[in-house]
Amino acid sequence: MSVQIHKYDVVIVGAGLAGLAAARELQRAGKKVAVLTKLHPLRSHSGAAQGGVNAALSEDDDIELHMFDTVKGSDYLADQDAVELMCSKAPETIRWIANAGAAFSRNEDGTIAQRPFGGQSKPRACYAKDRTGLTLLQTIYEQADRENVTFFDEWYVADIIYEDGVVKGVVAYNIRDLEPAIFNAKAVMFATGGYARAFKISSNAHANTGDGLSIVARHGLPLEDMEFVQFHPTGLAGSGILISEAARGEGGRLYNSLGERFMEKYAPEKMELAPRDVVSRAITKEILEGRGVGPNKDAVAIDLTHLGEKIIMERLPELRDLAITFLGQDMIKEPIHIAATAHYSMGGIPVDIDGHVKKNPNEIVRGFYAAGECACVSVHGANRLGANSLLEALFFGRHVGKHIIEDLESNKLELCDAKESDADRMLNEIKFCMNNNGTESVPKLRSELQESMTANAGVFRTEETLLKQRKILKELRERYKNIRIDDKSKIFNTDLQEAIEFGHMLDYATFIVEGAIARKESRGAHYREDYTKRDDENFLKHTFATMNEDGSINIEYGDVKLGKFEPQERTY
Ligand SMILES: Cc1cc2nc3c(=O)[nH]c(=O)nc-3n(C[C@H](O)[C@H](O)[C@H](O)COP(=O)(O)OP(=O)(O)OC[C@H]3O[C@@H](n4cnc5c(N)ncnc54)[C@H](O)[C@@H]3O)c2cc1C
């Protein structure tokens, strides 16, 4: 099969906020850019974000306080230089996107309205009702389109071309007809989003299968801090579909089956507005100790009825619709049932503050960049605060785009020619999935992965559950070699895509579990019942893990960039 080779200055994988913000900057600077995305850009998960995007905008807030809240929220694992850069540029980022057309909700005096979010000292989340992500995504897509960015919608990127420490491009196929192609470029940027789909109860879109991370890891490059997966406190009971933190921000109260407002026990000062890790553990504990509500007693109740119909319809209309559609519960009339749901991934592809992908804690890969949720820069450390992620994707997407322009103009990057055989790995992967005549079904293996990850590597972890999960992953890996897909056609073959995606899920889930086994402490979202304390002496450091051919993992550690905020005990 002949493989077409396209040539660009820059190829960006992913058309969420991070990818689009970078693409627009590059195209405006006259660079030849292609954006590849497996979904239509407006279906990227950024569009599902409801609650808000942070910036210290108001007079009684300040940037240093935003920095402090972020570092404390991160359980001191965030790199403070990156936090300082992001928080100090947040007001400018909001003004930029508002001027570009994002219709934020406003106060009566015309200023941008801001709502309180967990772990923040001030109301800091700018919002557009409860459709903030969609508003931002539509705005930035329109802007990128207006600059004539070239989009390859519904193209699946399956590999990078990485040789001699340089990334030369990506290998992809058209989902429509399986046509393969190489996109040869001076610079490649990954903006492939999050990966909480490895868990059964998850707020993430079906597409969030962490492809970008595994593609990178399969070349022996490291992933950073993968053990830190955020569980959001309020997913709808049973499905995990998100009820945004805006519900707690606007005044939602949590109750157990005894009618107790149980956050009094866990975070007496901040109550429901303690950070996500704290509230998720509280909810899960109430359920595990038998004080859950609902037919399966696997949820707790969030009560918003005291807000009244007017406020709910004005500020939380989408959340109300979701709860009616999926649970038949109307938050205007009654409390709705929620439980913790896998939501966000703090770890990812390690990058420096300008988005260069790291080969190890001290060296970078030439021609390779990443931003947004797939990257670990690390502004969130061990736990992200709500509304800091849209900010990260928007700010770092744009910032990294500008840096690629600088690197191109100072001639640090050149086009290293790709050859047809660079597509072989992808073609072999496709051939395996299409022709393998085994007995295992991918959806079944995927359910087993998701169920076991939620049970053994979820909100609470112990050596015992994690070792059990290590064994399950090893078995699933073996069984994956024995899959069979039914659809053998070339047209929109979703069986094939799901089989490839499941391979990625297996790889990055292994990083999550191995990182969690090695980190014998509790920090932020990583909670070990057998090591309940944070251990700064041994673990105030970033995990850098690499994968061997046989799927085993090596772990080394890198320094955390500390700064003006000294690690303290984290209480709320
Ligand atoms: C339900 C929900 C609500 C949220 N609410 C908030 C909030 O209120 N505030 C906040 O700050 N954060 C929120 N978050 C988090 C935030 O939305 C995300 O972290 C952020 O939008 C990620 O943006 P991104 O550009 O990195 O990736 P995404 O928007 O996820 O985009 C990823 C892109 O990568 C592409 N892609 C992936 N793999 C491939 C491949 N193999 N080939 C080709 N293309 C590929 C996809 O097509 C997509 O275009 C929420 C998340 C969820 C799930």
Side-chain angles (χ1 to χ4, degrees):
M1 191 188 299
S2 81
V3 181
Q4 206 184 346
I5 302 184
H6 302 277
K7 292 194 186 291
Y8 284 90
D9 290 328
V10 186
V11 165
I12 296 174
V13 184
L17 290 183
L20 292 175
R24 174 182 174 274
E25 289 305 314
L26 284 153
Q27 189 76 29
R28 271 167 83 90
K31 308 301 169 202
K32 193 176 170 212
V33 191
V35 175
L36 278 78
T37 164
K38 65 178 179 178
L39 304 167
H40 184 277
L42 293 178
R43 291 193 170 272
S44 302
H45 192 67
S46 291
Q50 302 161 343
V53 47
N54 283 328
L57 282 184
S58 69
E59 271 171 17
D60 66 340
D61 198 357
D62 83 70
I63 285 166
E64 191 149 322
L65 200 52
H66 186 186
M67 283 160 53
F68 172 71
D69 289 343
T70 303
V71 171
K72 181 179 175 191
S74 82
D75 225 346
Y76 295 91
L77 195 71
D79 286 328
Q80 295 192 23
D81 56 345
V83 172
E84 178 164 1
L85 179 68
M86 179 180 82
C87 295
S88 57
K89 297 288 182 185
E92 182 186 316
T93 305
I94 297 297
R95 281 193 288 272
W96 159 68
I97 195 76
N99 288 340
F104 284 108
S105 296
R106 300 265 169 178
N107 298 315
E108 286 193 348
D109 64 0
T111 52
I112 292 176
Q114 293 182 283
R115 58 169 51 124
F117 253 55
Q120 309 275 4
S121 315
K122 302 277 172 184
R124 190 174 283 148
C126 310
Y127 60 95
K129 290 198 170 175
D130 53 2
R131 301 181 191 119
T132 313
L134 191 60
T135 303
L136 299 177
L137 188 65
Q138 282 169 339
T139 307
I140 188 82
Y141 177 55
E142 229 167 61
Q143 294 291 325
D145 195 42
R146 179 170 150 197
E147 299 294 337
N148 287 321
V149 169
T150 305
F151 285 97
F152 289 83
D153 294 350
E154 299 187 327
W155 276 74
Y156 188 89
V157 173
D159 202 5
I160 50 172
I161 307 170
Y162 174 59
E163 257 170 23
D164 309 324
V166 184
V167 168
K168 305 175 178 178
V170 305
V171 188
Y173 71 84
N174 189 340
I175 296 171
R176 199 163 313 161
D177 56 10
L178 249 180
E179 174 203 341
I182 285 172
F183 293 78
N184 192 190
K186 295 177 189 165
V188 169
M189 174 177 164
F190 266 29
T192 52
Y195 46 92
R197 269 280 145 190
F199 294 83
K200 179 182 173 209
I201 304 290
S202 165
S203 71
N204 277 205
H206 286 281
N208 285 15
T209 50
D211 314 345
L213 287 104
S214 305
I215 289 172
V216 168
R218 286 174 187 177
H219 285 270
L221 291 168
L223 298 180
E224 183 176 351
D225 291 343
M226 292 291 287
E227 59 272 31
F228 296 105
V229 177
Q230 174 164 84
F231 298 87
H232 192 295
T234 56
L236 287 180
S239 66
I241 292 171
L242 194 72
I243 291 298
S244 163
E245 190 160 323
R248 287 183 291 130
E250 296 294 348
R253 298 169 187 161
L254 294 167
Y255 293 97
N256 62 18
S257 61
L258 306 177
E260 292 165 342
R261 197 164 164 201
F262 56 82
M263 283 312 296
E264 280 165 7
K265 282 187 286 190
Y266 302 94
E269 255 176 61
K270 290 269 181 187
M271 297 289 287
E272 282 82 2
L273 282 179
R276 292 176 176 176
D277 56 331
V278 176
V279 185
S280 288
R281 280 195 291 276
I283 291 173
T284 309
K285 204 156 189 151
E286 290 299 305
I287 295 170
L288 289 175
E289 290 178 0
R291 293 184 292 279
V293 302
N296 305 320
K297 307 234 169 295
D298 60 354
V300 297
I302 183 164
D303 187 8
L304 293 142
T305 51
H306 58 284
L307 296 181
E309 181 168 355
K310 184 163 175 286
I311 291 191
I312 290 178
M313 291 314 291
E314 223 169 71
R315 301 192 195 156
L316 309 170
E318 192 139 312
L319 302 190
R320 174 176 177 249
D321 272 1
L322 284 172
I324 292 176
T325 308
F326 291 95
L327 288 182
Q329 294 173 340
D330 183 350
M331 61 170 68
I332 293 177
K333 299 186 190 135
E334 63 195 319
I336 62 167
H337 293 177
I338 53 94
T341 181
H343 180 60
Y344 183 84
S345 317
M346 272 73 72
I349 304 167
V351 292
D352 71 9
I353 198 164
D354 296 323
H356 300 102
V357 172
K358 292 183 186 170
K359 202 189 306 185
N360 54 47
N362 309 310
E363 273 180 288
I364 61 164
V365 180
R366 206 145 61 89
F368 197 22
Y369 303 79
E373 191 171 336
C374 73
C376 180
V377 53
S378 132
V379 281
H380 311 302
N383 175 57
R384 167 176 78 93
L385 292 189
N388 262 354
S389 169
L390 290 177
L391 173 63
E392 179 197 17
L394 264 185
F395 168 71
F396 277 104
R398 194 167 173 231
H399 174 75
V400 173
K402 288 180 184 166
H403 254 272
I404 300 176
I405 298 171
E406 267 177 35
D407 287 350
L408 284 168
E409 292 183 350
S410 59
N411 291 325
K412 284 196 195 134
L413 303 170
E414 61 198 31
L415 195 74
C416 307
D417 281 331
K419 48 193 183 309
E420 263 194 47
S421 60
D422 288 327
D424 286 354
R425 273 167 75 116
M426 179 185 83
L427 296 175
N428 287 335
E429 192 176 12
I430 293 176
K431 212 185 280 170
F432 162 73
C433 295
M434 292 287 260
N435 300 342
N436 201 48
N437 202 12
T439 51
E440 296 282 359
S441 103
V442 172
K444 182 160 181 299
L445 295 184
R446 192 177 51 214
S447 300
E448 287 182 34
L449 171 77
Q450 291 168 326
E451 267 163 42
S452 59
M453 285 297 284
T454 292
N456 299 325
V459 177
F460 293 108
R461 302 160 169 184
T462 64
E463 179 105 1
E464 192 191 338
T465 63
L466 291 167
L467 291 179
K468 191 166 156 200
Q469 192 58 15
R470 173 190 272 170
K471 190 161 163 276
I472 293 174
L473 285 172
K474 216 164 162 214
E475 285 161 11
L476 286 171
R477 244 172 214 292
E478 279 309 305
R479 288 168 65 194
Y480 182 60
K481 293 181 186 154
N482 186 34
I483 55 165
R484 179 179 194 284
I485 63 171
D486 291 328
D487 187 353
K488 306 286 183 190
S489 79
K490 289 191 164 181
I491 311 298
F492 282 109
N493 190 334
T494 51
D495 272 12
L496 167 67
Q497 191 177 327
E498 286 181 21
I500 296 177
E501 286 172 342
F502 179 65
H504 293 312
M505 293 165 89
L506 274 178
D507 281 355
Y508 74 77
T510 308
F511 280 84
I512 296 174
V513 170
E514 293 300 327
I517 291 173
R519 190 173 280 276
K520 296 186 183 346
E521 65 158 352
S522 288
R523 183 185 296 271
H526 169 68
Y527 193 86
R528 290 275 307 247
E529 283 182 296
D530 43 357
Y531 299 93
T532 55
K533 292 263 174 305
R534 190 176 86 196
D535 174 0
D536 285 343
E537 204 170 305
N538 294 304
F539 289 104
L540 181 55
K541 49 197 186 182
H542 294 295
T543 305
F544 281 80
T546 49
M547 183 174 248
N548 304 311
E549 292 271 316
D550 64 355
S552 60
I553 300 275
N554 306 324
I555 289 187
E556 59 173 320
Y557 291 97
D559 292 338
V560 176
K561 293 218 178 74
L562 298 171
K564 58 176 86 154
F565 307 115
E566 294 279 331
Q568 315 167 356
E569 202 193 338
R570 190 168 157 254
T571 52
Y572 288 95

